[in-house]
Amino acid sequence: MKNVDRRKFIRNVFAYNATLILGANLLGACSKDVLGSPFDTELEYLPIQNDNPAISLNMQKCEECGDCIEACAEKQKVFGTYPASSTNHVCIHCGTCIMKCEEGALSAKSHWQEVINAIDNPSKTVIISVSPAVRVAIGDYFDLAKGLFLIENIVGSCRAVGFDYVLDTNFSADLTIIEEAYELQKRIQENTLIPQFTSCCHAWVKYVEIYYPSLLDYISTVRSPIGMQGSLVKSYFAQKNGLDPNNIIHVAVAPCSAKKYEITREELTTDGLPSNDIVITTKELALLLKSRNIDLTAQTGSFDSLMGAASGAGIIFGNTGGVMRAALRTAYFNITGVNPPANLLELQEIQGLVGLKQATVTIGEAKLKVAVCYEMRSAELLLDQVRNGNCSYDFIEVMACKGGCVGGAGQPTTNSVIEKRIRALNIADMEATTRYCHENPEITAIYSDFLGEAGSPMAKKYLHTTYNDKSSMLNS
Ligand code: SF4
């Protein structure tokens, strides 16, 4: 889009939001809990500040085309809702702007050299955990076919580069489901705080904290998979392996820029230590391997035990609809005592690249209405329904990125291959030893040896979190 069209677009967005504010004031209610006012219409780029924990802006590459502003305003409904200026910027760290910037002026903050330093420090035990979507995208950086499932090569390469342990974040995805399904059943039984929203995506969580703080209790209190993976590495895994948690550097490799922000949240510490020390993206892992001349395809290996086994349910966390499908499998088992039929395993209605999808699922005597969405422009519709008391859903999955984490801002920026990545994770789910997290033997072991049961005080301590009203960010 030319700059003149861009200005027109931005003016329209501002006018639309101004109308919302005016209308909301007249009606005595807002579309969001808080709406900002005047906008700096002169801006032609997102004024990302140096202290943004997730995203960097390189003005030398910026052509001031405004594509980033358009993506932020249109898809994520953030820019245009507060008084933006060259020194004031509100960010949910989703990285939609990064994916849109063709000049490479916006990027996820770089931390891979810190990982190299940790690996080269013999006094540290350096542990890496690999998120689901990384394994179907890293091949792009090595000129391999798109959507290749490369987990054994990633594990082997991480060992070759010097990580002491290589673990699977899918293990914690399985754990997320056990806790989230338990929480959902409890809410339904007590008929309170329905719908339950998922909590894996911290760009989404921050969006609610800023714009809909009165609805924070509807979000599951379960930590994201990397949130609980980090806390368990420094507690359960350290104890079992005789490691000093103070000497552990836990690195999470994720498809995501928002994870870099998430690990800075104070409520996600473990016994006074940060649960995750460093987050690197898929791209950074590729850079790290290349810097040490590691040929991805020449290495193979398997995860370390205790936190290295996962079900197919954990694998599909990277896909839009994946968290919901995984949770419903275990909810079905918990309620009926048997595993679900094939149609519920796949649940085609909530798969695919449509921003807002829904399904009704029968579990025993109950009918559960669920929704799955990505990007905040879809989530906003559901949030408004909840606040207005006319939401008919019981459980809602929200992700910030198109297609879910497979389309995250830490991935190679190739929009057209998201479907291939989704298909690759679905195939891995179908081929997994088990497709149910409640049948993962390492999950059974951690509950019997460490956590007790779902929702126990130990589970609350290591697997759950809290959220905060951040609406004041809109006034600064
Ligand atoms: Fe990160 Fe996934 Fe959320 Fe995108 S959808 S911001 S990749 S957690």
Short mmCIF file of all heavy atoms in Angstrom, two decimals, residues 250-288:
data_model
loop_
_atom_site.label_atom_id
_atom_site.label_comp_id
_atom_site.label_asym_id
_atom_site.label_seq_id
_atom_site.Cartn_x
_atom_site.Cartn_y
_atom_site.Cartn_z
N HIS A 250 17.70 -22.66 31.96
CA HIS A 250 16.67 -23.31 31.14
C HIS A 250 16.34 -22.44 29.93
O HIS A 250 15.96 -21.27 30.07
CB HIS A 250 15.39 -23.60 31.94
CG HIS A 250 14.36 -24.32 31.12
ND1 HIS A 250 13.12 -23.82 30.86
CD2 HIS A 250 14.44 -25.50 30.43
CE1 HIS A 250 12.46 -24.66 30.08
NE2 HIS A 250 13.24 -25.69 29.80
N VAL A 251 16.51 -23.02 28.76
CA VAL A 251 16.25 -22.31 27.50
C VAL A 251 15.02 -22.92 26.85
O VAL A 251 14.93 -24.15 26.70
CB VAL A 251 17.46 -22.49 26.53
CG1 VAL A 251 17.19 -21.76 25.21
CG2 VAL A 251 18.75 -22.01 27.17
N ALA A 252 14.06 -22.10 26.50
CA ALA A 252 12.89 -22.59 25.76
C ALA A 252 13.03 -22.13 24.32
O ALA A 252 13.26 -20.94 24.06
CB ALA A 252 11.60 -22.04 26.37
N VAL A 253 12.90 -23.07 23.38
CA VAL A 253 12.87 -22.66 21.96
C VAL A 253 11.42 -22.72 21.51
O VAL A 253 10.75 -23.74 21.64
CB VAL A 253 13.84 -23.46 21.07
CG1 VAL A 253 13.65 -24.96 21.18
CG2 VAL A 253 13.69 -23.02 19.60
N ALA A 254 10.95 -21.57 21.01
CA ALA A 254 9.52 -21.41 20.74
C ALA A 254 9.32 -20.71 19.39
O ALA A 254 10.23 -20.03 18.90
CB ALA A 254 8.88 -20.58 21.85
N PRO A 255 8.13 -20.83 18.81
CA PRO A 255 7.85 -20.18 17.52
C PRO A 255 7.46 -18.72 17.68
O PRO A 255 6.94 -18.12 16.75
CB PRO A 255 6.66 -21.00 17.01
CG PRO A 255 5.94 -21.38 18.26
CD PRO A 255 7.00 -21.65 19.28
N CYS A 256 7.71 -18.13 18.83
CA CYS A 256 6.92 -17.02 19.33
C CYS A 256 7.77 -15.86 19.84
O CYS A 256 8.78 -16.08 20.51
CB CYS A 256 6.12 -17.61 20.48
SG CYS A 256 5.10 -16.48 21.38
N SER A 257 7.35 -14.63 19.57
CA SER A 257 8.00 -13.49 20.21
C SER A 257 7.40 -13.23 21.59
O SER A 257 8.11 -12.83 22.52
CB SER A 257 7.86 -12.24 19.34
OG SER A 257 6.51 -12.03 18.97
N ALA A 258 6.11 -13.51 21.77
CA ALA A 258 5.45 -13.19 23.05
C ALA A 258 6.01 -14.00 24.21
O ALA A 258 5.91 -13.60 25.37
CB ALA A 258 3.94 -13.43 22.93
N LYS A 259 6.62 -15.16 23.92
CA LYS A 259 7.21 -15.97 25.00
C LYS A 259 8.38 -15.22 25.63
O LYS A 259 8.71 -15.43 26.79
CB LYS A 259 7.68 -17.33 24.47
CG LYS A 259 6.56 -18.22 23.95
CD LYS A 259 5.71 -18.76 25.07
CE LYS A 259 4.51 -19.52 24.54
NZ LYS A 259 3.38 -19.53 25.49
N LYS A 260 9.04 -14.35 24.85
CA LYS A 260 10.15 -13.57 25.41
C LYS A 260 9.62 -12.59 26.46
O LYS A 260 10.29 -12.29 27.43
CB LYS A 260 10.89 -12.82 24.29
CG LYS A 260 11.70 -13.74 23.38
CD LYS A 260 12.36 -12.97 22.26
CE LYS A 260 13.09 -13.89 21.29
NZ LYS A 260 14.46 -14.20 21.68
N TYR A 261 8.42 -12.08 26.19
CA TYR A 261 7.76 -11.24 27.19
C TYR A 261 7.27 -12.08 28.37
O TYR A 261 7.47 -11.73 29.53
CB TYR A 261 6.58 -10.49 26.55
CG TYR A 261 5.47 -10.20 27.52
CD1 TYR A 261 5.63 -9.21 28.51
CD2 TYR A 261 4.28 -10.93 27.51
CE1 TYR A 261 4.63 -8.98 29.44
CE2 TYR A 261 3.28 -10.70 28.44
CZ TYR A 261 3.46 -9.72 29.40
OH TYR A 261 2.48 -9.49 30.33
N GLU A 262 6.64 -13.22 28.06
CA GLU A 262 6.01 -14.04 29.11
C GLU A 262 7.00 -14.37 30.23
O GLU A 262 6.66 -14.33 31.41
CB GLU A 262 5.46 -15.33 28.49
CG GLU A 262 4.80 -16.26 29.49
CD GLU A 262 4.38 -17.59 28.88
OE1 GLU A 262 4.19 -17.67 27.65
OE2 GLU A 262 4.23 -18.56 29.64
N ILE A 263 8.25 -14.72 29.88
CA ILE A 263 9.18 -15.16 30.93
C ILE A 263 9.63 -14.01 31.83
O ILE A 263 10.28 -14.24 32.84
CB ILE A 263 10.40 -15.91 30.37
CG1 ILE A 263 11.30 -15.00 29.53
CG2 ILE A 263 9.97 -17.14 29.61
CD1 ILE A 263 12.67 -15.62 29.24
N THR A 264 9.28 -12.77 31.47
CA THR A 264 9.63 -11.64 32.35
C THR A 264 8.56 -11.42 33.42
O THR A 264 8.75 -10.59 34.31
CB THR A 264 9.79 -10.33 31.54
OG1 THR A 264 8.52 -9.96 30.99
CG2 THR A 264 10.81 -10.48 30.43
N ARG A 265 7.46 -12.15 33.34
CA ARG A 265 6.37 -11.94 34.32
C ARG A 265 6.79 -12.48 35.69
O ARG A 265 7.17 -13.64 35.81
CB ARG A 265 5.09 -12.66 33.84
CG ARG A 265 4.47 -12.07 32.59
CD ARG A 265 3.27 -12.87 32.16
NE ARG A 265 2.17 -12.73 33.11
CZ ARG A 265 1.07 -12.01 32.89
NH1 ARG A 265 0.90 -11.37 31.75
NH2 ARG A 265 0.12 -11.94 33.80
N GLU A 266 6.69 -11.61 36.70
CA GLU A 266 7.16 -11.98 38.04
C GLU A 266 6.43 -13.18 38.61
O GLU A 266 6.98 -13.98 39.36
CB GLU A 266 7.00 -10.79 38.99
CG GLU A 266 8.18 -9.87 38.95
CD GLU A 266 8.02 -8.69 39.87
OE1 GLU A 266 7.27 -8.79 40.85
OE2 GLU A 266 8.65 -7.65 39.57
N GLU A 267 5.13 -13.30 38.28
CA GLU A 267 4.35 -14.39 38.87
C GLU A 267 4.74 -15.76 38.32
O GLU A 267 4.26 -16.78 38.79
CB GLU A 267 2.84 -14.14 38.69
CG GLU A 267 2.36 -13.93 37.28
CD GLU A 267 2.49 -12.49 36.78
OE1 GLU A 267 3.29 -11.73 37.34
OE2 GLU A 267 1.80 -12.15 35.81
N LEU A 268 5.65 -15.79 37.35
CA LEU A 268 6.06 -17.07 36.78
C LEU A 268 7.43 -17.53 37.29
O LEU A 268 8.10 -18.34 36.67
CB LEU A 268 6.07 -17.00 35.25
CG LEU A 268 4.67 -16.91 34.62
CD1 LEU A 268 4.76 -16.72 33.12
CD2 LEU A 268 3.84 -18.14 34.93
N THR A 269 7.83 -17.04 38.44
CA THR A 269 9.08 -17.52 39.05
C THR A 269 8.81 -18.83 39.79
O THR A 269 7.66 -19.16 40.10
CB THR A 269 9.67 -16.49 40.02
OG1 THR A 269 8.65 -16.13 40.94
CG2 THR A 269 10.14 -15.25 39.30
N THR A 270 9.87 -19.57 40.07
CA THR A 270 9.76 -20.83 40.80
C THR A 270 10.70 -20.80 41.99
O THR A 270 11.92 -20.72 41.80
CB THR A 270 10.18 -22.03 39.90
OG1 THR A 270 9.44 -21.95 38.70
CG2 THR A 270 9.94 -23.36 40.58
N ASP A 271 10.16 -20.86 43.18
CA ASP A 271 10.98 -20.85 44.40
C ASP A 271 12.04 -19.73 44.33
O ASP A 271 13.22 -19.93 44.64
CB ASP A 271 11.65 -22.21 44.62
CG ASP A 271 10.62 -23.33 44.78
OD1 ASP A 271 9.54 -23.05 45.33
OD2 ASP A 271 10.90 -24.46 44.34
N GLY A 272 11.63 -18.56 43.86
CA GLY A 272 12.53 -17.41 43.82
C GLY A 272 13.40 -17.33 42.58
O GLY A 272 14.13 -16.36 42.39
N LEU A 273 13.36 -18.36 41.72
CA LEU A 273 14.18 -18.34 40.50
C LEU A 273 13.29 -18.15 39.28
O LEU A 273 12.14 -18.61 39.29
CB LEU A 273 14.92 -19.68 40.33
CG LEU A 273 15.99 -20.03 41.35
CD1 LEU A 273 16.45 -21.48 41.14
CD2 LEU A 273 17.18 -19.08 41.22
N PRO A 274 13.82 -17.53 38.23
CA PRO A 274 13.01 -17.49 37.00
C PRO A 274 12.81 -18.91 36.47
O PRO A 274 13.74 -19.71 36.46
CB PRO A 274 13.86 -16.67 36.03
CG PRO A 274 15.22 -16.59 36.63
CD PRO A 274 15.12 -16.88 38.09
N SER A 275 11.59 -19.24 36.06
CA SER A 275 11.33 -20.60 35.57
C SER A 275 12.07 -20.83 34.25
O SER A 275 12.64 -21.89 34.03
CB SER A 275 9.83 -20.79 35.33
OG SER A 275 9.12 -20.59 36.51
N ASN A 276 12.03 -19.84 33.40
CA ASN A 276 12.74 -19.92 32.12
C ASN A 276 13.75 -18.78 32.09
O ASN A 276 13.41 -17.63 32.39
CB ASN A 276 11.76 -19.74 30.95
CG ASN A 276 10.77 -20.88 30.86
OD1 ASN A 276 11.09 -21.94 30.34
ND2 ASN A 276 9.56 -20.67 31.37
N ASP A 277 14.99 -19.10 31.74
CA ASP A 277 16.02 -18.05 31.73
C ASP A 277 16.11 -17.34 30.39
O ASP A 277 16.36 -16.15 30.34
CB ASP A 277 17.38 -18.67 32.10
CG ASP A 277 17.33 -19.27 33.49
OD1 ASP A 277 17.36 -18.51 34.47
OD2 ASP A 277 17.20 -20.51 33.60
N ILE A 278 15.97 -18.10 29.31
CA ILE A 278 16.10 -17.52 27.98
C ILE A 278 15.07 -18.16 27.06
O ILE A 278 14.86 -19.38 27.11
CB ILE A 278 17.51 -17.78 27.38
CG1 ILE A 278 18.63 -17.33 28.35
CG2 ILE A 278 17.67 -17.08 26.03
CD1 ILE A 278 20.02 -17.76 27.93
N VAL A 279 14.42 -17.34 26.24
CA VAL A 279 13.59 -17.88 25.15
C VAL A 279 14.26 -17.51 23.84
O VAL A 279 14.64 -16.35 23.63
CB VAL A 279 12.15 -17.29 25.18
CG1 VAL A 279 11.43 -17.59 23.87
CG2 VAL A 279 11.36 -17.88 26.35
N ILE A 280 14.45 -18.51 22.99
CA ILE A 280 14.91 -18.22 21.63
C ILE A 280 13.83 -18.70 20.66
O ILE A 280 13.03 -19.58 20.98
CB ILE A 280 16.27 -18.87 21.28
CG1 ILE A 280 16.24 -20.40 21.50
CG2 ILE A 280 17.40 -18.22 22.06
CD1 ILE A 280 17.49 -21.11 20.98
N THR A 281 13.81 -18.07 19.50
CA THR A 281 12.82 -18.46 18.49
C THR A 281 13.37 -19.59 17.62
O THR A 281 14.56 -19.93 17.69
CB THR A 281 12.52 -17.26 17.57
OG1 THR A 281 13.75 -16.88 16.93
CG2 THR A 281 11.96 -16.09 18.35
N THR A 282 12.51 -20.12 16.76
CA THR A 282 12.94 -21.13 15.79
C THR A 282 14.10 -20.58 14.94
O THR A 282 15.09 -21.27 14.71
CB THR A 282 11.75 -21.49 14.86
OG1 THR A 282 10.61 -21.80 15.67
CG2 THR A 282 12.08 -22.65 13.95
N LYS A 283 13.94 -19.32 14.53
CA LYS A 283 14.99 -18.69 13.72
C LYS A 283 16.31 -18.62 14.48
O LYS A 283 17.37 -18.91 13.93
CB LYS A 283 14.53 -17.27 13.33
CG LYS A 283 15.53 -16.51 12.51
CD LYS A 283 14.99 -15.13 12.17
CE LYS A 283 16.00 -14.37 11.33
NZ LYS A 283 15.53 -13.02 11.01
N GLU A 284 16.23 -18.27 15.77
CA GLU A 284 17.47 -18.17 16.56
C GLU A 284 18.12 -19.53 16.76
O GLU A 284 19.36 -19.63 16.81
CB GLU A 284 17.17 -17.53 17.91
CG GLU A 284 16.90 -16.04 17.84
CD GLU A 284 16.51 -15.49 19.19
OE1 GLU A 284 15.32 -15.64 19.57
OE2 GLU A 284 17.37 -14.94 19.89
N LEU A 285 17.31 -20.58 16.91
CA LEU A 285 17.91 -21.92 17.03
C LEU A 285 18.67 -22.26 15.76
O LEU A 285 19.78 -22.79 15.80
CB LEU A 285 16.84 -22.98 17.32
CG LEU A 285 17.40 -24.41 17.45
CD1 LEU A 285 18.41 -24.52 18.60
CD2 LEU A 285 16.27 -25.43 17.66
N ALA A 286 18.10 -21.91 14.61
CA ALA A 286 18.79 -22.16 13.34
C ALA A 286 20.11 -21.38 13.28
O ALA A 286 21.15 -21.91 12.90
CB ALA A 286 17.89 -21.77 12.17
N LEU A 287 20.08 -20.10 13.72
CA LEU A 287 21.30 -19.28 13.72
C LEU A 287 22.36 -19.89 14.63
O LEU A 287 23.54 -19.96 14.30
CB LEU A 287 20.97 -17.86 14.22
CG LEU A 287 20.28 -16.93 13.24
CD1 LEU A 287 19.81 -15.67 13.95
CD2 LEU A 287 21.22 -16.57 12.09
N LEU A 288 21.89 -20.35 15.80
CA LEU A 288 22.80 -20.94 16.78
C LEU A 288 23.48 -22.18 16.19
O LEU A 288 24.70 -22.35 16.29
CB LEU A 288 21.98 -21.30 18.02
CG LEU A 288 22.65 -21.67 19.34
CD1 LEU A 288 21.68 -21.46 20.48
CD2 LEU A 288 23.13 -23.09 19.35
#
